[in-house]
Amino acid sequence: MPNSLAVLMMTSWPFVTLAMYLRLPPRSAVIWSILAGYMLLPAGMSLDLPALPGLSKHSIPSLFGYFFAWMVLGRRIPLFPASRIGRVFAVVLLAGPFLTVLTNGDPIYINSDKVLPALRLYDAASMVVGQLGFLCIWALSREILNDAAALRQLLMALVVAFLCYTLPMLYEVRMSPQLHIRIYGFFQHDFAQMMRQGGFRPIVFLEHGLWIAILTSMSAMLAVVLARTAPPETAGRWRLAAVYLLAVLVLCKSMAALIYAALMIPLLALAGARRILNAAMLMAVLILSYPTLRTLDVIPTDRLIEAAARVSEERAQSLEFRFDNEDALLAHAMRRPAFGWGGWERSSIHDPASGETVSTTDGLWVIAMGYSGFFGFLAQFGLLVLPILLLGRAYRAAGRPVEILPAGAALVLAVNLVDLLPNATISPFTWMFSGAMLGYVESLRRLPEGQAEAEPRPAAPRRGAPAWSGLVGQLPQGPRSLL
């Protein structure tokens, strides 16, 4: 049960967000209110207000940040992007919950003792608030973090934030995952799942060890991207940061996150920008087509299980369990393929005798398919992959060659989205990256053909200044750094 500090942190974060919007430059306020909120607030709890859906660490920084951007900064942040297909995805994402409710007005009778209730209008409102929490992050990032300088600042912020986060992570690797229960009074997940390979994997204040592993992997990859685009005076520091983050990633004991880093870091370090972007686009197409490929039984699941068995029999059994559950859940989702089953465990599979849930949902794609159907899946994943698919066209329209920084960011975003197929490791970082990338794409489209974007190469820090000085941005009276 959450203690008073957990409740205090959740209720006070709107005021922390307001202070950031009052004291920091707009870009820094957006980045750090969302980053710090996600990394520090308690996981697995929400504020249940009367007659309103619950507010979690995902929705509080974004909803209040969106409001403060309007009230404090005087900027109206459009929820819908300039792209026509992007507007269609956003409309479907917000209207989909009401269509799900309309197609699920019937109760489901599991047995004589258990009945899953019909969906009501309140359920649609609750679903929309959840969607708005992520959509507001996406819109804020698209509108405010919309050029190369802002994109670089976002990448630097994530790498530096996780360099700091490695301190509590290393503590939990040595002492066991206990910070959340010691500080907030409860453990946010199943403690047994944090035990792996004779030791512990960290979780700190995130939802699961898999979340912290994929974000550490992404940070290591982004450090490589920053090293390639930094001046010689600071490039070595980013390389050291990448090596250190990789060492911590090994201690996270997540094979998938480690494989992503092992495969992508050589590509990010050696390949040209066009090849990096092509790899990201190929991954984006795979993500959007994955439900169709699984429905048609095109994905060679048996071969993947055999390959996993050559590494570890335990991992092969885990992978087989995931695929078996996906097959059963996908067959259940196909009974209402358009808009899904909605909440109240209606998208799960139940034992007719006991009424207990017998399915396990791991991948976000199958969760989205069961919860909101094909339309919900396409709306959510379509918004996330949209900047990856549009980036190359935007560069061609601007008459410029693809650059390393946005291409590398696109590949790291694609890796995060690929991980949503076996896992549900979506986070505010995912939406913030996607929104910032789309803002960058839209800024490219506004440039006259052949004109380069005004983004000077970052200067080396002045003598005596901290290595990360200026990361948060500069106010009129001088530099300000959260570090």
Side-chain angles (χ1 to χ4, degrees):
M1 181 177 179
N3 59 21
S4 56
L5 179 60
V7 177
L8 177 63
M9 286 290 290
M10 296 288 281
T11 54
S12 64
W13 200 258
F15 302 100
V16 175
T17 302
L18 175 60
M20 290 186 181
Y21 275 81
L22 288 172
R23 295 291 298 159
L24 297 177
R27 292 174 178 173
S28 303
V30 171
I31 293 172
W32 288 108
S33 63
I34 294 170
L35 276 180
Y38 181 64
M39 298 176 77
L40 298 179
L41 290 177
M45 69 167 289
S46 62
L47 294 178
D48 294 320
L49 304 177
L52 291 175
L55 298 176
S56 68
K57 66 187 293 181
H58 298 92
S59 55
I60 289 175
S62 59
L63 293 175
F64 283 95
Y66 189 88
F67 175 74
F68 294 144
W70 174 41
M71 296 297 295
V72 176
L73 305 181
R75 300 180 65 166
R76 298 184 63 182
I77 309 295
L79 283 176
F80 303 107
S83 165
R84 182 177 302 174
I85 185 64
R87 290 197 296 269
V88 171
F89 287 148
V91 168
V92 173
L93 191 70
L94 294 177
F98 296 96
L99 297 173
T100 299
V101 168
L102 288 176
T103 55
N104 284 273
D106 56 318
I108 299 177
Y109 296 90
I110 304 299
N111 54 36
S112 58
D113 296 324
K114 185 169 184 178
V115 179
L116 304 181
L119 298 186
R120 306 161 297 165
L121 188 61
Y122 176 85
D123 298 311
S126 179
M127 294 163 67
V128 168
V129 169
Q131 305 285 28
L132 275 176
F134 289 123
L135 196 59
C136 286
I137 297 175
W138 190 73
L140 277 169
S141 304
R142 191 189 70 244
E143 183 70 16
I144 296 178
L145 309 178
N146 61 356
D147 57 27
L151 185 61
R152 181 183 297 276
Q153 183 178 347
L154 175 60
L155 269 57
M156 291 173 62
L158 180 57
V159 174
V160 174
F162 258 84
L163 285 173
C164 298
Y165 218 53
T166 57
L167 298 178
M169 289 169 63
L170 292 174
Y171 173 85
E172 290 199 338
V173 169
R174 179 64 182 87
M175 304 300 295
S176 82
Q178 54 182 281
L179 290 175
H180 199 282
I181 194 169
R182 285 193 171 190
I183 295 174
Y184 292 128
F186 71 103
F187 194 72
Q188 67 269 48
H189 208 275
D190 181 7
F191 190 87
Q193 292 192 23
M194 302 306 110
M195 302 172 65
R196 179 67 65 87
Q197 299 174 7
F200 302 100
R201 55 184 180 186
I203 182 173
V204 194
F205 304 126
L206 303 190
E207 297 90 336
H208 192 281
L210 294 175
W211 270 253
I212 211 166
I214 186 62
L215 291 171
T216 305
S217 179
M218 291 170 60
S219 301
M221 288 184 261
L222 291 175
V224 174
V225 175
L226 291 168
R228 284 196 67 177
T229 57
E233 295 85 354
T234 58
R237 293 170 182 162
W238 293 115
R239 296 190 188 98
L240 287 176
V243 172
Y244 171 69
L245 288 167
L246 281 174
V248 176
L249 177 60
V250 173
L251 299 177
C252 291
K253 302 178 180 67
S254 174
M255 182 62 70
L258 193 59
I259 289 175
Y260 297 147
L263 292 177
M264 297 302 158
I265 283 180
L267 182 65
L268 290 168
L270 302 173
R274 171 57 65 178
R275 183 166 296 180
I276 293 173
L277 180 57
N278 287 341
M281 293 176 66
L282 181 63
M283 294 162 69
V285 172
L286 169 65
I287 292 161
L288 288 181
S289 59
Y290 189 79
T292 302
L293 297 176
R294 288 289 279 123
T295 304
L296 299 175
D297 200 22
V298 174
I299 303 295
T301 55
D302 293 337
R303 293 183 181 178
L304 293 175
I305 294 171
E306 291 174 2
R310 287 193 286 269
V311 177
S312 167
E313 189 63 34
E314 179 185 355
R315 296 189 183 278
Q317 293 174 359
S318 174
L319 186 61
E320 184 177 14
F321 177 79
R322 287 171 183 256
F323 284 144
D324 290 343
N325 271 274
E326 284 184 0
D327 291 336
L329 289 166
L330 187 58
H332 180 60
M334 288 300 97
R335 294 171 59 191
R336 296 192 180 179
F339 301 106
W341 292 92
W344 299 106
E345 297 185 344
R346 294 168 62 92
S347 61
S348 301
I349 300 172
H350 300 81
D351 184 348
S354 65
E356 297 295 326
T357 301
V358 295
S359 59
T360 301
T361 52
D362 289 313
L364 184 66
W365 77 272
V366 77
I367 295 174
M369 287 289 296
Y371 200 81
S372 53
F374 265 115
F375 284 98
F377 167 84
L378 286 175
Q380 182 173 355
F381 280 79
L383 285 177
L384 290 170
V385 305
L386 186 62
I388 302 174
L389 298 176
L390 295 181
L391 185 60
R393 181 187 299 180
Y395 268 107
R396 288 194 299 271
R400 298 170 50 194
V402 180
E403 298 172 351
I404 290 291
L405 184 75
L411 183 64
V412 175
L413 173 61
V415 168
N416 189 187
L417 299 181
V418 166
D419 194 58
L420 299 182
L421 301 180
N423 302 306
T425 49
I426 194 166
S427 69
F429 298 157
T430 312
W431 288 96
M432 189 157 53
F433 262 112
S434 178
M437 288 293 300
L438 187 60
Y440 180 78
V441 167
E442 292 177 350
S443 70
L444 279 177
R445 289 182 164 184
R446 290 192 291 267
L447 289 174
E449 184 173 350
Q451 179 178 330
E453 185 180 9
E455 195 242 335
R457 289 181 63 86
R462 66 185 183 279
R463 186 178 300 276
W468 315 107
S469 178
L471 172 62
V472 173
Q474 292 189 351
L475 295 177
Q477 65 267 31
R480 175 184 296 273
S481 174
L482 285 181
L483 302 177

